[in-house]
Structures are given as structure tokens and as C-alpha cells.
Amino acid sequence: MEEEFNWLLKEEVHAVLKQLQEILKEASRRFSVPSPGLCEGQLKQENFILGSSTMDQVKGVLTLQGEALTQADINIKVAKSSQVMHFAFRDDKQWKLQQIQDARNHVNQALQLLSSRDESYTFKTGAEVNKLMDAVMLQLSRARNRLTTPASMTLPELAASGLVKMFTPPMPGDVMVNFYINLSKLCLTVYQLHVLQPNTTKNFKSAGSSVLHNPGAMFEYNNTKFEVSHVHKVECVVPWLNDTLVFFTISLQLCQQLKDKISVFSSFWNYRPF
């Protein structure tokens, strides 16, 4: 058993670390960011058509370049008049998707942890391997959570986010938008609002924080009270985000399997008869 354990610490741990590095390098490449040391080429631009399940109230094309939305071309059909409003990002503007940026940073931190223990390094104990695996798994879990858990926002936060200022022509005060990632989907939510008259605010109750607010949600912004009258959510699948989520799952499984092997030997060590 002792020989087997030494072999595990010396050979198999490094084989798993190498495999993990290869998978995570592939994941990192999916974010379209050149690795350090390579000349930085122009990132690939991808266009995505937004599909809608709500009677085509919102249509659009989004242009994604790595972690940045470089263009958003959106048509919104106004509920009352059926008039179609058209908005596009100003040429000098782009919107950073913080979720993608954070996920990429966590992947790169996991890679740094793995590269700090190259093949010349000798692990002396199972606990040392477990410590490394826990640190790598923490980064991978955080990366996955950033893509699977969009940030909750209040409606005033959304109104103040600066996103409405990205468009030409400027969006009217009764329309708000939000972009976020949910799993492998890039989502756009459009809120149509109406101003609550002073005599109708006796039942006013400010809505809390949420990823997606429902019609009827109320909020106050710049001393004006609003109610959400219509909500339209459209989304498109980003294939490379799906790839990264698969890589995260495989990597987490590899880490756990190595921890389980260490655990088998550790329990034998702790309970062997003297």
C-alpha cells in the first residue's frame, strides 16, 4: 500500500494535473483571449440573432467579441401603439459582460495554481494534494457560478447602470434594458414602464432585487415613481459558453476523483493495525 501511495503521489497526481491543465487551457481559449506571450490578434466578432417567445415584441442582433458586446441592434414594438422603435449602440460604445470577464479570470487563476506544481515537484502528503485540488475546485466553481448565476439588480440600479446611455437614438425614459449571461445563453430583457401619477401611489411598494422583474413591479428613480407595464425577454445560445461549462464540469470531476483516491489511502493509513 505504501508503494502504491508513493506511486500515486509521484506519478498519477502529475498525470491528472497535466490533464486538468490541457482542459482548462482549452476553456481559456474559448474566451477568445490570447494567452500571455502570444501576439495579441484581433478577437473574433460573432453575431447572434435574438429569438423571442413573446409575439416578436423584441427582435435584434447582438455582436459579441470576447467579453464585450460591441454592437446591439434592437427593434422594440411599443405595446400601446404597435409602433416599432429602433436602437443601436453608438459607434464609440461597447458593453463589458462582467460575468464572462470574471469567469475567464477564475479559469486563469486555476491554471496558475496548476502550473505552480510542475512535474519536477514532489508531493509529500495526500493532504498537500487535497489542498491544491480544493483551491483549483474553488476557482472552477466560482467560474461556473458566474455564468450560471446572473446578478440580481434593483430597478433603480438598472436605471442608473449607464446601459440606456449606450444607444442611438437615446432610449426614452419609459424603456429600460438589461444584458446578462445565463448558462450558455446571452439574454436581453426589455422593460416598458409607465409613470405613476401622485394620486395613484398610495399602494406604492418598491420592488426588491431580482434577475428578472415582473409586470407590476414598482420603483422610484429621480423622484419619479414608475411601474413596469411590460417585460420582454429574448435570448440566444452562445456555443462556446456551453463548451466552457462542459470543461468546468469535467475538470471538477477529475479533481474530485483524485481527492477520492487520496481519501482511500488516507483511511487505510489511519486505521491500519499497529
Side-chain angles (χ1 to χ4, degrees):
M1 280 295 272
E2 190 170 356
E3 279 179 22
E4 270 190 62
F5 193 41
N6 287 335
W7 179 85
L8 178 75
L9 289 177
K10 194 176 176 190
E11 304 294 337
E12 187 162 353
V13 169
H14 281 296
V16 172
L17 297 191
K18 189 179 177 193
Q19 199 179 353
L20 279 169
Q21 275 188 298
E22 285 168 4
I23 294 167
L24 294 181
K25 277 178 185 168
E26 202 52 53
S28 186
R29 273 195 283 272
R30 290 294 194 279
F31 288 102
S32 306
V33 176
S35 302
L38 298 177
C39 58
E40 292 204 357
Q42 188 70 14
L43 298 186
K44 183 182 170 189
Q45 281 199 339
E46 301 172 283
N47 291 329
F48 296 99
I49 296 169
L50 290 165
S52 169
S53 57
T54 52
M55 304 291 290
D56 288 339
Q57 298 291 323
V58 177
K59 290 180 177 178
V61 178
L62 302 181
T63 305
L64 190 61
Q65 191 171 13
E67 67 208 22
L69 266 180
T70 54
Q71 187 50 269
D73 199 284
I74 302 167
N75 290 317
I76 303 170
K77 194 183 282 186
V78 182
K80 291 175 190 169
S81 62
S82 291
Q83 164 203 358
V84 176
M85 298 186 291
H86 175 255
F87 304 99
F89 274 1
R90 288 164 39 185
D91 289 340
D92 61 332
K93 296 283 186 184
Q94 54 175 245
W95 187 254
K96 278 275 167 68
L97 290 162
Q98 193 65 43
Q99 287 172 268
I100 294 180
Q101 193 172 12
D102 290 348
R104 187 199 76 212
N105 289 341
H106 288 306
V107 170
N108 289 340
Q109 284 176 320
L111 277 167
Q112 282 177 351
L113 286 165
L114 292 167
S115 61
S116 70
R117 297 285 180 264
D118 64 13
E119 286 180 14
S120 64
Y121 184 84
T122 304
F123 288 94
K124 294 175 181 64
T125 64
E128 192 184 1
V129 178
N130 279 341
K131 188 179 174 186
L132 176 62
M133 289 299 94
D134 286 341
V136 171
M137 289 173 84
L138 178 65
Q139 294 303 330
L140 293 178
S141 297
R142 284 176 174 170
R144 186 171 64 182
N145 289 346
R146 284 304 281 131
L147 299 179
T148 58
T149 315
S152 286
M153 293 180 78
T154 64
L155 289 161
E157 283 170 346
L158 208 52
S161 72
L163 194 48
V164 289
K165 299 182 180 73
M166 305 274 295
F167 291 92
T168 178
M171 284 197 165
D174 60 355
V175 175
M176 292 196 310
V177 296
N178 189 24
F179 294 106
Y180 58 89
I181 300 294
N182 186 13
L183 293 163
S184 59
K185 290 175 180 171
L186 174 54
C187 307
L188 162 67
T189 308
V190 177
Y191 296 100
Q192 288 179 246
L193 316 169
H194 70 85
V195 176
L196 290 170
Q197 299 307 317
N199 60 351
T200 61
T201 58
K202 61 177 186 289
N203 294 323
F204 178 80
K205 185 176 180 238
S206 208
S209 193
S210 180
V211 174
L212 184 68
H213 293 271
N214 294 319
M218 293 181 270
F219 69 103
E220 186 171 354
Y221 185 67
N222 286 346
N223 298 320
T224 305
K225 291 184 168 115
F226 294 93
E227 183 177 17
V228 175
S229 55
H230 296 83
V231 181
H232 308 293
K233 183 185 168 193
V234 286
E235 57 192 28
C236 52
V237 173
V238 180
W240 60 264
L241 281 176
N242 192 55
D243 292 347
T244 59
L245 287 164
V246 171
F247 290 140
F248 296 161
T249 301
I250 294 168
S251 301
L252 284 162
Q253 285 171 348
L254 278 171
C255 291
Q256 189 57 52
Q257 283 165 5
L258 184 57
K259 284 186 69 177
D260 291 346
K261 283 183 183 175
I262 297 284
S263 173
V264 168
F265 282 99
S266 299
S267 58
F268 170 78
W269 235 246
N270 293 337
Y271 298 112
R272 73 191 194 282
F274 288 98

